[in-house]
Amino acid sequence: MTSRREASLLLGAGILAAGAGVFFGPRLTDLLQPADTSALRSSPFTDLAGKKRTLDDWRGRILVVNFWATWCPPCREEIPALVLAREKLLPSGVEFIGIAVDQAAKVSEFTASVPISYPVLVSGSAALDLMRKLGNPSGGLPFTIVLDRNGALVHRNLGIVTQAKIESLVTPMLTS
């Protein structure tokens, strides 16, 4: 049986560990080993028109790939930033792809009320395995990755990503 002091210390350590995870978790995704993106690039997805697509359809472009869901408030919050960043970067050969971890009907309903100018693909729960392979072991959303023109992973972000962050990551890649 633990004493009150031991219980308080354990509770404090638990709170500290949880706080560290929340603070450092998004930052640690960039420190993980390089990920093989071949499974992601070749995975079949369905777009909102029902057409089968793969990320290789956009080969040769810099890709900002955002995993999201209609039921995820932070995902919905970052969509306007992604739309604005795409508007600015598309003429330079950057494409944004949304991969919805959701049901096609719900995604179609959502996009009817919230305009998303970039391609939206639907994956359902299969996307969770892909995210884990890309350095997101928890499968948390939103999760955004940046692929260079050759399809190599150059950045990953767990949590909300801002327009400024995307632009700062992608702009140096435009000259290379």
Side-chain angles (χ1 to χ4, degrees), residues 11 47 54 66 72 84 90 109 113 121 131 147 157 173:
L11 177 63
D47 68 16
T54 69
N66 177 256
C72 167
L84 290 172
L90 184 64
E109 181 182 321
S113 62
L121 308 176
M131 289 191 303
L147 304 176
N157 186 84
M173 297 170 62

Side-chain angles (χ1 to χ4, degrees), residues 42-77:
S42 64
S43 290
F45 301 102
T46 305
D47 68 16
L48 295 180
K51 181 180 176 188
K52 292 288 183 193
R53 306 290 302 263
T54 69
L55 292 189
D56 276 343
D57 293 347
W58 293 277
R59 190 170 206 68
R61 296 182 144 231
I62 296 168
L63 294 181
V64 177
V65 181
N66 177 256
F67 292 87
W68 68 288
T70 61
W71 45 262
C72 167
C75 301
R76 294 191 313 262
E77 182 181 328

Side-chain angles (χ1 to χ4, degrees), residues 3-122:
S3 69
R4 282 184 182 225
R5 183 169 186 253
E6 289 172 326
S8 294
L9 287 173
L10 287 173
L11 177 63
I15 291 171
L16 184 62
V22 167
F23 181 78
F24 290 111
R27 290 148 185 87
L28 291 176
T29 57
D30 280 335
L31 300 176
L32 299 173
Q33 294 297 320
D36 178 12
T37 60
S38 60
L40 172 67
R41 291 189 329 251
S42 64
S43 290
F45 301 102
T46 305
D47 68 16
L48 295 180
K51 181 180 176 188
K52 292 288 183 193
R53 306 290 302 263
T54 69
L55 292 189
D56 276 343
D57 293 347
W58 293 277
R59 190 170 206 68
R61 296 182 144 231
I62 296 168
L63 294 181
V64 177
V65 181
N66 177 256
F67 292 87
W68 68 288
T70 61
W71 45 262
C72 167
C75 301
R76 294 191 313 262
E77 182 181 328
E78 76 179 352
I79 288 172
L82 296 170
V83 168
L84 290 172
R86 180 186 190 249
E87 190 176 292
K88 185 173 181 179
L89 296 167
L90 184 64
S92 301
V94 180
E95 183 57 278
F96 288 65
I97 309 291
I99 298 179
V101 184
D102 215 322
Q103 297 172 357
K106 290 182 180 183
V107 176
S108 292
E109 181 182 321
F110 179 82
T111 59
S113 62
V114 177
I116 300 177
S117 59
Y118 48 86
V120 175
L121 308 176
V122 180

